[in-house]
Amino acid sequence: MHGTDIAAPGTADASTREFGVGHGSAHHGELLQGMFHDRNGRLVRGLVTLPLLDRTTRAVFYPSQRHWGVVGTPELIKVRRAAIYTLRELSTHPAPAKGGQIEITSDIPRGIGMGSSTSDVTAAIRAVADYHGVTLSPADVGRIAVLAECASDPIMIEDRVVLFAHRDAITLETFGDRLPPMIVIGCDTDPDGGGVDTVAFEPAEYSDRDIGVFGVLRAALRRAVATGDTALLGRVSTASALLNQRFLRTALLPELIELCRRCGGCGVQIAHSGTVVGLIFDPRQPVTGRHVRACLTAIEDMGLPSTALIGVGPLSTRYEQETA
C-alpha cells in the first residue's frame, strides 16, 4: 500500500525487528457504570467491565523510516491515531519508526457493546510498542487509548478488577484480583438494529440521586468481589442496568430479568452503550447446570442470537463445558 515506504514482512528496516504484533481482548459490557468520586472528591464517569477473553483483536505494525504517519484502511481512524500517539511516546527509542502501516484482524462484533474499538486500539498500541521491543504498562496503554478514542474500556488491565474512569484514564479503585465465580449467558437484544454509534451517543446526565445510588452500588460491588458473592454482584449489575434504561433503552430487559429470576440466576448485566445483555449464574449452586441449559433454550426461543457463554472463576469451567 502507498508505495515502498512501509516495510512488509521479511523486509529489514532500521530496527532489528521487521514488524510488531499486539493483541487486545473483548468485554461483554459492564457490571457497573455511572459517576463516582475520585480520591480528590471530583465526580468522574467510571465503569467496571466484564472481561471476555476468548474474543480478540490482533494488530500488526509494519514500520517505516521514511514515511511519516500511519497507513490503514479508512475505518481505522482511532487505530491510526493510537499508533501515531504510541510512536510519539517512543520517539526517544534508539531505533524509532517514523511511521508505518497497521493491519487489524478481529472476531469481536462491532457496535453492540463488546469493546471492539478499545480492543483494536489496545492491540495497535501494543503492536507499535512490540516493534520497538517495549512493553508498556497497562496505565500507559490506557492513557494512550483514551487520547486516541476519548473514552476507553479498561481491557488493558488484565490482572485485577477495577473501577476505571474511562474518559480520564485513571483507576478510581481496585476491588480485587478476580471477580466472583460466575457463568454469564450473553445475547444481543437488538440484532437487526444496526448497533449503537458510541461516537454520537450522548453521555448520560445523572441526577444527584443517581450519584448517591452509584456510591451505594460501588460499596456493594467492593463487598461482592472481596467476599466472592455472586448473588450480590448480580444485584449490583441489575440495578446499574435498570438505571441506565432512562438514557439508552435496552430492548427486552424486563423480560430477560424475569427469565433470569425464573431460571435461578443472580441478575443481569448490560452494555451501557450497546445492545448486549448477560444473565448471571452462580456455578456453586448444585442445579446451575440445568438452569443454564434452560435459560439458553429460552433465549433461543426468543430469537436472540448468542454473544457469549462466559465462565469466570475455577468453579465455572465444568458448567461452561456442559452447556457449550
Side-chain angles (χ1 to χ4, degrees), residues 23-25 77-87 89 115-126 136-157 164-170:
H23 295 85
S25 61
I77 295 173
K78 295 178 182 178
V79 167
R80 298 199 307 272
R81 191 183 300 150
I84 289 169
Y85 283 132
T86 310
L87 287 169
E89 187 87 2
S116 60
S117 176
T118 299
S119 182
D120 290 353
V121 164
T122 297
I125 293 168
R126 288 172 170 168
L136 294 173
S137 70
D140 285 334
V141 175
R143 174 175 52 80
I144 298 170
V146 169
L147 285 173
E149 58 173 352
C150 298
S152 294
D153 307 299
I155 60 170
M156 66 291 298
I157 303 174
F164 186 71
H166 50 288
R167 293 176 178 270
D168 300 84
I170 57 174

Short mmCIF file of all heavy atoms in Angstrom, two decimals, residues 23-25 77-87 89 115-126 136-157 164-170:
data_model
loop_
_atom_site.label_atom_id
_atom_site.label_comp_id
_atom_site.label_asym_id
_atom_site.label_seq_id
_atom_site.Cartn_x
_atom_site.Cartn_y
_atom_site.Cartn_z
N HIS A 23 -2.10 -7.58 20.84
CA HIS A 23 -3.44 -8.15 20.97
C HIS A 23 -4.26 -7.34 21.98
O HIS A 23 -3.70 -6.72 22.90
CB HIS A 23 -3.38 -9.60 21.43
CG HIS A 23 -2.74 -10.52 20.44
ND1 HIS A 23 -1.37 -10.70 20.37
CD2 HIS A 23 -3.28 -11.29 19.45
CE1 HIS A 23 -1.09 -11.56 19.39
NE2 HIS A 23 -2.23 -11.93 18.83
N GLY A 24 -5.55 -7.37 21.80
CA GLY A 24 -6.48 -6.78 22.76
C GLY A 24 -7.71 -7.66 22.87
O GLY A 24 -8.20 -8.17 21.85
N SER A 25 -8.21 -7.86 24.08
CA SER A 25 -9.36 -8.73 24.28
C SER A 25 -10.66 -7.93 24.24
O SER A 25 -10.66 -6.70 24.26
CB SER A 25 -9.23 -9.47 25.61
OG SER A 25 -9.19 -8.56 26.68
N ILE A 77 -9.70 4.88 11.90
CA ILE A 77 -9.23 6.22 12.29
C ILE A 77 -8.65 6.20 13.70
O ILE A 77 -7.56 6.71 13.95
CB ILE A 77 -10.40 7.23 12.20
CG1 ILE A 77 -10.87 7.38 10.75
CG2 ILE A 77 -9.97 8.59 12.77
CD1 ILE A 77 -12.11 8.23 10.60
N LYS A 78 -9.38 5.59 14.64
CA LYS A 78 -8.90 5.55 16.03
C LYS A 78 -7.62 4.71 16.14
O LYS A 78 -6.73 5.04 16.92
CB LYS A 78 -9.98 4.98 16.94
CG LYS A 78 -11.22 5.85 17.04
CD LYS A 78 -12.26 5.18 17.92
CE LYS A 78 -13.53 6.00 18.02
NZ LYS A 78 -14.57 5.33 18.84
N VAL A 79 -7.54 3.65 15.37
CA VAL A 79 -6.37 2.78 15.39
C VAL A 79 -5.14 3.54 14.90
O VAL A 79 -4.06 3.48 15.50
CB VAL A 79 -6.62 1.53 14.54
CG1 VAL A 79 -5.32 0.78 14.28
CG2 VAL A 79 -7.63 0.62 15.24
N ARG A 80 -5.30 4.25 13.79
CA ARG A 80 -4.16 5.02 13.26
C ARG A 80 -3.74 6.11 14.24
O ARG A 80 -2.55 6.36 14.44
CB ARG A 80 -4.52 5.63 11.90
CG ARG A 80 -4.85 4.60 10.84
CD ARG A 80 -4.75 5.17 9.43
NE ARG A 80 -5.52 6.38 9.24
CZ ARG A 80 -6.81 6.40 8.86
NH1 ARG A 80 -7.46 5.25 8.68
NH2 ARG A 80 -7.43 7.53 8.67
N ARG A 81 -4.73 6.75 14.86
CA ARG A 81 -4.43 7.78 15.85
C ARG A 81 -3.67 7.18 17.03
O ARG A 81 -2.68 7.76 17.52
CB ARG A 81 -5.74 8.41 16.32
CG ARG A 81 -5.57 9.69 17.15
CD ARG A 81 -6.93 10.17 17.61
NE ARG A 81 -7.81 10.47 16.50
CZ ARG A 81 -9.14 10.36 16.52
NH1 ARG A 81 -9.73 9.91 17.61
NH2 ARG A 81 -9.85 10.67 15.48
N ALA A 82 -4.11 6.00 17.49
CA ALA A 82 -3.42 5.35 18.61
C ALA A 82 -1.99 4.99 18.24
O ALA A 82 -1.06 5.14 19.06
CB ALA A 82 -4.19 4.09 19.01
N ALA A 83 -1.78 4.51 17.02
CA ALA A 83 -0.43 4.17 16.58
C ALA A 83 0.47 5.40 16.54
O ALA A 83 1.64 5.35 16.94
CB ALA A 83 -0.48 3.49 15.22
N ILE A 84 -0.08 6.51 16.06
CA ILE A 84 0.70 7.75 15.99
C ILE A 84 1.08 8.23 17.39
O ILE A 84 2.22 8.62 17.65
CB ILE A 84 -0.09 8.84 15.23
CG1 ILE A 84 -0.16 8.48 13.74
CG2 ILE A 84 0.56 10.21 15.41
CD1 ILE A 84 -1.12 9.34 12.96
N TYR A 85 0.12 8.20 18.32
CA TYR A 85 0.42 8.61 19.70
C TYR A 85 1.49 7.70 20.32
O TYR A 85 2.34 8.16 21.08
CB TYR A 85 -0.83 8.59 20.56
CG TYR A 85 -1.76 9.77 20.35
CD1 TYR A 85 -3.12 9.60 20.17
CD2 TYR A 85 -1.26 11.07 20.34
CE1 TYR A 85 -3.97 10.68 19.99
CE2 TYR A 85 -2.09 12.16 20.15
CZ TYR A 85 -3.45 11.96 19.99
OH TYR A 85 -4.28 13.03 19.79
N THR A 86 1.43 6.42 20.00
CA THR A 86 2.42 5.48 20.54
C THR A 86 3.80 5.75 19.94
O THR A 86 4.82 5.69 20.64
CB THR A 86 2.00 4.04 20.28
OG1 THR A 86 0.65 3.85 20.70
CG2 THR A 86 2.89 3.06 21.05
N LEU A 87 3.84 6.05 18.65
CA LEU A 87 5.12 6.42 18.02
C LEU A 87 5.72 7.65 18.69
O LEU A 87 6.93 7.72 18.92
CB LEU A 87 4.91 6.68 16.54
CG LEU A 87 4.67 5.44 15.67
CD1 LEU A 87 4.22 5.85 14.26
CD2 LEU A 87 5.93 4.58 15.58
N GLU A 89 5.18 8.54 21.77
CA GLU A 89 5.59 8.08 23.10
C GLU A 89 6.98 7.45 23.07
O GLU A 89 7.76 7.58 24.01
CB GLU A 89 4.57 7.08 23.63
CG GLU A 89 4.75 6.65 25.04
CD GLU A 89 4.06 7.58 26.03
OE1 GLU A 89 3.39 8.55 25.61
OE2 GLU A 89 4.20 7.34 27.24
N GLY A 115 -16.68 -3.89 23.15
CA GLY A 115 -15.33 -3.33 23.26
C GLY A 115 -14.48 -3.46 22.03
O GLY A 115 -13.24 -3.44 22.13
N SER A 116 -15.10 -3.56 20.84
CA SER A 116 -14.30 -3.75 19.63
C SER A 116 -13.34 -2.59 19.38
O SER A 116 -12.19 -2.80 18.99
CB SER A 116 -15.21 -3.95 18.41
OG SER A 116 -16.05 -2.82 18.22
N SER A 117 -13.80 -1.37 19.61
CA SER A 117 -12.97 -0.20 19.35
C SER A 117 -11.75 -0.16 20.27
O SER A 117 -10.61 0.01 19.81
CB SER A 117 -13.80 1.08 19.52
OG SER A 117 -13.00 2.23 19.36
N THR A 118 -11.98 -0.33 21.57
CA THR A 118 -10.85 -0.31 22.50
C THR A 118 -9.92 -1.49 22.28
O THR A 118 -8.71 -1.38 22.44
CB THR A 118 -11.35 -0.29 23.95
OG1 THR A 118 -12.14 0.88 24.16
CG2 THR A 118 -10.19 -0.28 24.93
N SER A 119 -10.49 -2.63 21.90
CA SER A 119 -9.64 -3.79 21.61
C SER A 119 -8.72 -3.50 20.43
O SER A 119 -7.53 -3.81 20.45
CB SER A 119 -10.51 -5.00 21.31
OG SER A 119 -9.71 -6.14 21.06
N ASP A 120 -9.27 -2.90 19.36
CA ASP A 120 -8.45 -2.51 18.21
C ASP A 120 -7.34 -1.55 18.62
O ASP A 120 -6.17 -1.72 18.24
CB ASP A 120 -9.32 -1.82 17.15
CG ASP A 120 -10.29 -2.75 16.45
OD1 ASP A 120 -10.22 -3.97 16.67
OD2 ASP A 120 -11.13 -2.25 15.67
N VAL A 121 -7.72 -0.53 19.38
CA VAL A 121 -6.77 0.50 19.79
C VAL A 121 -5.69 -0.09 20.70
O VAL A 121 -4.49 0.19 20.54
CB VAL A 121 -7.53 1.64 20.49
CG1 VAL A 121 -6.57 2.54 21.26
CG2 VAL A 121 -8.30 2.47 19.46
N THR A 122 -6.10 -0.91 21.66
CA THR A 122 -5.14 -1.55 22.57
C THR A 122 -4.16 -2.42 21.80
O THR A 122 -2.93 -2.40 22.05
CB THR A 122 -5.87 -2.37 23.63
OG1 THR A 122 -6.68 -1.49 24.43
CG2 THR A 122 -4.91 -3.12 24.52
N ALA A 123 -4.68 -3.21 20.86
CA ALA A 123 -3.81 -4.08 20.06
C ALA A 123 -2.83 -3.26 19.24
O ALA A 123 -1.65 -3.62 19.11
CB ALA A 123 -4.66 -4.96 19.15
N ALA A 124 -3.29 -2.14 18.68
CA ALA A 124 -2.40 -1.29 17.87
C ALA A 124 -1.29 -0.68 18.72
O ALA A 124 -0.12 -0.64 18.31
CB ALA A 124 -3.23 -0.19 17.20
N ILE A 125 -1.65 -0.19 19.91
CA ILE A 125 -0.64 0.39 20.81
C ILE A 125 0.42 -0.66 21.16
O ILE A 125 1.63 -0.39 21.11
CB ILE A 125 -1.32 0.93 22.08
CG1 ILE A 125 -2.21 2.12 21.75
CG2 ILE A 125 -0.27 1.32 23.13
CD1 ILE A 125 -3.14 2.52 22.88
N ARG A 126 -0.03 -1.85 21.48
CA ARG A 126 0.90 -2.92 21.84
C ARG A 126 1.74 -3.36 20.65
O ARG A 126 2.91 -3.76 20.82
CB ARG A 126 0.12 -4.09 22.42
CG ARG A 126 -0.43 -3.81 23.81
CD ARG A 126 -1.35 -4.91 24.30
NE ARG A 126 -1.68 -4.76 25.71
CZ ARG A 126 -2.64 -5.45 26.33
NH1 ARG A 126 -3.36 -6.35 25.66
NH2 ARG A 126 -2.88 -5.26 27.62
N LEU A 136 4.64 -1.65 27.30
CA LEU A 136 4.06 -0.52 28.01
C LEU A 136 3.21 -1.02 29.17
O LEU A 136 2.57 -2.07 29.10
CB LEU A 136 3.19 0.30 27.06
CG LEU A 136 3.92 1.02 25.93
CD1 LEU A 136 2.91 1.67 24.97
CD2 LEU A 136 4.86 2.10 26.48
N SER A 137 3.17 -0.26 30.24
CA SER A 137 2.35 -0.61 31.39
C SER A 137 0.88 -0.47 31.03
O SER A 137 0.51 0.29 30.11
CB SER A 137 2.67 0.30 32.57
OG SER A 137 2.20 1.61 32.31
N PRO A 138 -0.02 -1.19 31.73
CA PRO A 138 -1.45 -1.00 31.48
C PRO A 138 -1.89 0.45 31.63
O PRO A 138 -2.75 0.92 30.87
CB PRO A 138 -2.10 -1.90 32.55
CG PRO A 138 -1.10 -2.97 32.81
CD PRO A 138 0.24 -2.29 32.70
N ALA A 139 -1.30 1.17 32.58
CA ALA A 139 -1.66 2.58 32.76
C ALA A 139 -1.28 3.40 31.54
O ALA A 139 -2.05 4.27 31.09
CB ALA A 139 -0.97 3.14 34.01
N ASP A 140 -0.11 3.13 30.95
CA ASP A 140 0.30 3.86 29.76
C ASP A 140 -0.56 3.49 28.56
O ASP A 140 -0.93 4.36 27.76
CB ASP A 140 1.77 3.59 29.45
CG ASP A 140 2.71 4.32 30.38
OD1 ASP A 140 2.32 5.39 30.91
OD2 ASP A 140 3.85 3.85 30.59
N VAL A 141 -0.88 2.21 28.42
CA VAL A 141 -1.75 1.80 27.31
C VAL A 141 -3.12 2.46 27.46
O VAL A 141 -3.68 2.98 26.49
CB VAL A 141 -1.90 0.27 27.27
CG1 VAL A 141 -2.91 -0.14 26.20
CG2 VAL A 141 -0.56 -0.40 26.99
N GLY A 142 -3.66 2.49 28.68
CA GLY A 142 -4.94 3.13 28.91
C GLY A 142 -4.91 4.61 28.62
O GLY A 142 -5.85 5.16 28.03
N ARG A 143 -3.85 5.27 29.01
CA ARG A 143 -3.73 6.72 28.76
C ARG A 143 -3.70 7.01 27.26
O ARG A 143 -4.38 7.93 26.78
CB ARG A 143 -2.46 7.24 29.44
CG ARG A 143 -2.13 8.69 29.15
CD ARG A 143 -0.91 9.14 29.96
NE ARG A 143 0.22 8.23 29.81
CZ ARG A 143 1.05 8.25 28.76
NH1 ARG A 143 0.86 9.12 27.77
NH2 ARG A 143 2.07 7.41 28.70
N ILE A 144 -2.92 6.25 26.51
CA ILE A 144 -2.84 6.46 25.06
C ILE A 144 -4.17 6.11 24.41
O ILE A 144 -4.62 6.80 23.47
CB ILE A 144 -1.69 5.63 24.46
CG1 ILE A 144 -0.35 6.08 25.05
CG2 ILE A 144 -1.67 5.77 22.94
CD1 ILE A 144 0.82 5.17 24.70
N ALA A 145 -4.83 5.05 24.88
CA ALA A 145 -6.12 4.66 24.31
C ALA A 145 -7.16 5.76 24.49
O ALA A 145 -7.93 6.05 23.56
CB ALA A 145 -6.60 3.37 24.96
N VAL A 146 -7.20 6.39 25.65
CA VAL A 146 -8.15 7.47 25.87
C VAL A 146 -7.83 8.67 24.98
O VAL A 146 -8.73 9.33 24.43
CB VAL A 146 -8.19 7.87 27.36
CG1 VAL A 146 -8.96 9.17 27.55
CG2 VAL A 146 -8.81 6.76 28.18
N LEU A 147 -6.55 8.96 24.79
CA LEU A 147 -6.17 10.03 23.86
C LEU A 147 -6.68 9.73 22.45
O LEU A 147 -7.13 10.63 21.74
CB LEU A 147 -4.65 10.18 23.82
CG LEU A 147 -3.98 10.85 25.01
CD1 LEU A 147 -2.45 10.76 24.88
CD2 LEU A 147 -4.41 12.31 25.13
N ALA A 148 -6.64 8.46 22.07
CA ALA A 148 -7.00 8.08 20.71
C ALA A 148 -8.50 8.05 20.47
O ALA A 148 -8.96 8.36 19.37
CB ALA A 148 -6.39 6.72 20.37
N GLU A 149 -9.27 7.65 21.49
CA GLU A 149 -10.70 7.48 21.24
C GLU A 149 -11.60 8.18 22.25
O GLU A 149 -12.82 7.95 22.27
CB GLU A 149 -11.07 6.00 21.17
CG GLU A 149 -10.72 5.17 22.37
CD GLU A 149 -11.28 3.75 22.28
OE1 GLU A 149 -12.05 3.48 21.35
OE2 GLU A 149 -10.94 2.93 23.14
N CYS A 150 -11.05 9.04 23.08
CA CYS A 150 -11.79 9.89 24.03
C CYS A 150 -12.33 9.12 25.24
O CYS A 150 -12.35 9.65 26.35
CB CYS A 150 -12.93 10.63 23.35
SG CYS A 150 -12.37 11.76 22.06
N ALA A 151 -12.80 7.92 25.03
CA ALA A 151 -13.26 7.09 26.15
C ALA A 151 -12.91 5.65 25.84
O ALA A 151 -13.18 5.17 24.73
CB ALA A 151 -14.76 7.25 26.35
N SER A 152 -12.34 4.95 26.82
CA SER A 152 -11.86 3.58 26.59
C SER A 152 -12.24 2.67 27.74
O SER A 152 -12.31 3.10 28.90
CB SER A 152 -10.33 3.56 26.43
OG SER A 152 -9.92 4.23 25.27
N ASP A 153 -12.47 1.43 27.42
CA ASP A 153 -12.71 0.41 28.43
C ASP A 153 -11.37 -0.06 29.01
O ASP A 153 -10.34 0.02 28.34
CB ASP A 153 -13.43 -0.78 27.80
CG ASP A 153 -14.69 -0.36 27.06
OD1 ASP A 153 -15.58 0.18 27.72
OD2 ASP A 153 -14.75 -0.54 25.83
N PRO A 154 -11.36 -0.59 30.23
CA PRO A 154 -10.10 -0.99 30.86
C PRO A 154 -9.66 -2.40 30.51
O PRO A 154 -9.14 -3.12 31.36
CB PRO A 154 -10.43 -0.87 32.35
CG PRO A 154 -11.87 -1.21 32.44
CD PRO A 154 -12.49 -0.66 31.18
N ILE A 155 -9.81 -2.81 29.25
CA ILE A 155 -9.43 -4.18 28.88
C ILE A 155 -7.93 -4.40 28.97
O ILE A 155 -7.48 -5.56 29.03
CB ILE A 155 -9.94 -4.53 27.48
CG1 ILE A 155 -9.33 -3.57 26.44
CG2 ILE A 155 -11.45 -4.50 27.41
CD1 ILE A 155 -9.58 -4.00 25.02
N MET A 156 -7.14 -3.33 28.96
CA MET A 156 -5.69 -3.48 29.06
C MET A 156 -5.25 -3.81 30.49
O MET A 156 -4.11 -4.20 30.71
CB MET A 156 -5.00 -2.22 28.56
CG MET A 156 -5.20 -0.96 29.37
SD MET A 156 -6.89 -0.25 29.33
CE MET A 156 -7.08 0.13 27.61
N ILE A 157 -6.15 -3.67 31.45
CA ILE A 157 -5.86 -4.02 32.85
C ILE A 157 -6.41 -5.42 33.07
O ILE A 157 -7.60 -5.62 33.31
CB ILE A 157 -6.49 -3.02 33.81
CG1 ILE A 157 -6.00 -1.60 33.49
CG2 ILE A 157 -6.16 -3.37 35.26
CD1 ILE A 157 -6.69 -0.51 34.29
N PHE A 164 -12.85 2.02 36.56
CA PHE A 164 -11.98 2.78 35.66
C PHE A 164 -12.69 4.03 35.16
O PHE A 164 -13.82 3.95 34.67
CB PHE A 164 -11.59 1.90 34.47
CG PHE A 164 -10.57 2.50 33.54
CD1 PHE A 164 -9.25 2.64 33.92
CD2 PHE A 164 -10.93 2.90 32.26
CE1 PHE A 164 -8.30 3.17 33.04
CE2 PHE A 164 -10.01 3.43 31.38
CZ PHE A 164 -8.69 3.57 31.76
N ALA A 165 -12.03 5.17 35.29
CA ALA A 165 -12.56 6.41 34.73
C ALA A 165 -12.24 6.44 33.24
O ALA A 165 -11.13 6.78 32.84
CB ALA A 165 -11.95 7.62 35.44
N HIS A 166 -13.21 6.07 32.42
CA HIS A 166 -12.96 5.77 31.02
C HIS A 166 -12.74 7.00 30.16
O HIS A 166 -12.33 6.86 29.01
CB HIS A 166 -14.10 4.92 30.44
CG HIS A 166 -15.47 5.46 30.70
ND1 HIS A 166 -16.05 5.44 31.95
CD2 HIS A 166 -16.38 6.02 29.88
CE1 HIS A 166 -17.26 5.96 31.88
NE2 HIS A 166 -17.48 6.33 30.65
N ARG A 167 -12.98 8.18 30.69
CA ARG A 167 -12.68 9.41 29.96
C ARG A 167 -11.45 10.13 30.52
O ARG A 167 -10.99 11.10 29.94
CB ARG A 167 -13.88 10.37 29.97
CG ARG A 167 -15.07 9.83 29.16
CD ARG A 167 -16.28 10.73 29.25
NE ARG A 167 -17.35 10.20 28.42
CZ ARG A 167 -17.55 10.50 27.14
NH1 ARG A 167 -16.73 11.36 26.54
NH2 ARG A 167 -18.55 9.98 26.47
N ASP A 168 -10.95 9.64 31.64
CA ASP A 168 -9.80 10.26 32.30
C ASP A 168 -8.59 9.35 32.38
O ASP A 168 -7.52 9.78 32.78
CB ASP A 168 -10.19 10.69 33.72
CG ASP A 168 -11.33 11.69 33.74
OD1 ASP A 168 -12.50 11.27 33.68
OD2 ASP A 168 -11.04 12.90 33.80
N ALA A 169 -8.78 8.08 32.03
CA ALA A 169 -7.69 7.09 32.01
C ALA A 169 -7.04 6.91 33.38
O ALA A 169 -5.82 6.79 33.49
CB ALA A 169 -6.64 7.47 30.97
N ILE A 170 -7.87 6.87 34.41
CA ILE A 170 -7.34 6.63 35.75
C ILE A 170 -8.16 5.52 36.42
O ILE A 170 -9.36 5.38 36.17
CB ILE A 170 -7.34 7.89 36.64
CG1 ILE A 170 -8.73 8.48 36.76
CG2 ILE A 170 -6.36 8.92 36.11
CD1 ILE A 170 -8.83 9.63 37.74
#
